[in-house]
Amino acid sequence: METRERTIFERIIAREIPADIVHETDSVIAFRDIAPQAPVHLLVVPKTAAYATVAELAAGDPELLAEVVATAQTLAESHADGHFRLVFNSGENAGQAVFHVHAHVLAGGLAEGSLAHG
């Protein structure tokens, strides 16, 4: 039987690794990114590790994906002006480093192209 190593997000959910948690329900947790790319940079993470990417989550549990998006809106309203970018990196070549689906909520006076790295 193969055992996989738990992701950093699973360890944050289990409170084994500290995080600046800003929101939590039975099915999602949200916390500040430790390497922010915007004035407001929060991560919304489903508590299940069953899905690595947003496409897997959409196919497997669309209601949970809807909760992730609704949580992003709520966080943007309470931590910024209600305007935000919602980013899902899907795959290593797209910048995904943790293969546990998560949404980046980015806000705080962002201009078009402000997160582009060239």
Side-chain angles (χ1 to χ4, degrees):
M1 183 165 108
E2 184 179 319
T3 327
R4 69 168 182 80
E5 187 173 326
R6 292 184 310 144
T7 67
I8 189 170
F9 296 155
E10 289 172 280
R11 296 183 66 207
I12 288 170
I13 292 163
R15 303 303 200 269
E16 295 171 5
I17 295 176
D20 186 357
I21 298 168
V22 297
H23 181 85
E24 186 169 15
T25 68
D26 289 342
S27 51
V28 300
I29 189 168
F31 48 89
R32 295 185 192 284
D33 193 294
I34 62 169
Q37 302 296 306
V40 175
H41 188 166
L42 306 170
L43 300 178
V44 181
V45 181
K47 289 185 174 180
T48 177
Y51 310 103
T53 68
V54 66
E56 290 176 10
L57 177 59
D61 193 341
E63 289 179 8
L64 182 55
L65 176 56
E67 183 177 351
V68 168
V69 174
T71 299
Q73 178 68 55
T74 298
L75 292 171
E77 290 167 357
S78 61
H79 292 270
D81 58 4
H83 301 171
F84 65 102
R85 288 185 191 172
L86 189 60
V87 177
F88 292 90
N89 299 329
S90 291
E92 188 175 348
N93 288 338
Q96 186 174 8
V98 179
F99 293 90
H100 178 141
V101 66
H102 58 286
H104 295 259
V105 179
L106 305 159
L110 301 175
E112 183 67 32
S114 63
L115 300 178
H117 295 283

